[in-house]
Each structure stands twice: as structure tokens, then as C-alpha cells.
Amino acid sequence: MAKTVLVVEDNELNLKLFCDLLRAHGFAVEPVRDGREAVARAREVTPDLIVMDIQMPHVTGYELILELKQDEALRHIPIMAVTAYAGREDEERIRAAGANAYVSKPITLARFMAAVSQLV
């Protein structure tokens, strides 16, 4: 059975890229365009991994990570942040919030998939 990845990304092109790439590598994908829907969707599908942008409208990736990690049913799910924030302090802040991995944009396919493989 395919592992399921919840992809939270407000940019349509990035969402399509991440979903297509994951599907091409045999993953089942659940796309979410709005961080406000991510926790409810995660509860519905209980994904094996959550891939998310950090800079989103309405709910930041930091807020979303904290909410997911405070939820008893979801805190065990690894989170991979994919973001244009590329500074060392940004990575430290993202990991401190609870993300298990960090990939900066623009992504390389090999780095993206290597990070996914380490988490599932």
C-alpha cells in the first residue's frame, strides 16, 4: 500500500510540482491549498508525511507546525518544510517549531526526494 503524503502549498504551480513528483515515486497524495484546512485533512487521512510551505496566507507554516505537534493524534507525523526562507536562522526556527526536515526553494528533485525518503 502506498504511503500517503499531505501537501500543504498555496502556490498552484508548486503544489502541482510536489504532487506530481510524489505520485511519480509511488506515493498517494492529498493536496491542500489553504493551511486552515490542513489539520482537519490530516485528521481525515492520517498521512505518513506532511510536506508544507512556510509562507502561506491566513495561517503561517510555523503556526501550522505548532498546531499539528500539539494534536495528540497528529504529533507523530513527520513534517517537511519546503520554503523560500533559506537562511540558517530560518532553518533553525523551522526545526525549533517542530519540523523534521527542511528543503529550501527552488528545490532540486534529488534533494526533495531524499528528504522525503528519510522521513517515510
Side-chain angles (χ1 to χ4, degrees):
M1 187 144 144
K3 299 279 187 178
T4 301
V5 180
L6 179 71
V7 180
V8 186
E9 171 64 68
D10 63 306
N11 179 288
E12 283 295 322
L13 290 175
N14 287 338
L15 182 65
K16 181 174 177 10
L17 171 66
F18 300 156
C19 290
D20 288 350
L21 184 57
L22 290 162
R23 284 186 187 111
H25 283 86
F27 291 93
V29 179
E30 292 290 331
V32 175
R33 289 164 182 77
D34 189 328
R36 295 175 295 187
E37 301 168 14
V39 174
R41 192 71 183 127
R43 285 187 189 121
E44 290 172 15
V45 301
T46 314
D48 298 288
L49 172 65
I50 299 171
V51 173
M52 73 166 66
D53 188 15
I54 294 298
Q55 190 174 0
M56 295 183 290
H58 312 297
V59 177
T60 70
Y62 298 109
E63 294 166 334
L64 185 54
I65 291 169
L66 293 172
E67 187 174 351
L68 288 163
K69 292 302 181 180
Q70 289 173 357
D71 188 304
E72 189 67 37
L74 304 175
R75 71 173 46 154
H76 71 282
I77 301 169
I79 297 172
M80 183 171 96
V82 183
T83 182
Y85 294 135
R88 186 79 187 131
E89 299 115 19
D90 297 315
E91 181 176 0
E92 290 170 2
R93 184 172 171 215
I94 290 166
R95 288 184 182 275
N100 304 87
Y102 166 92
V103 177
S104 62
K105 293 178 187 174
I107 67 162
T108 65
L109 303 182
R111 190 173 68 223
F112 180 87
M113 289 311 303
V116 168
S117 296
Q118 288 179 346
L119 296 172
V120 292

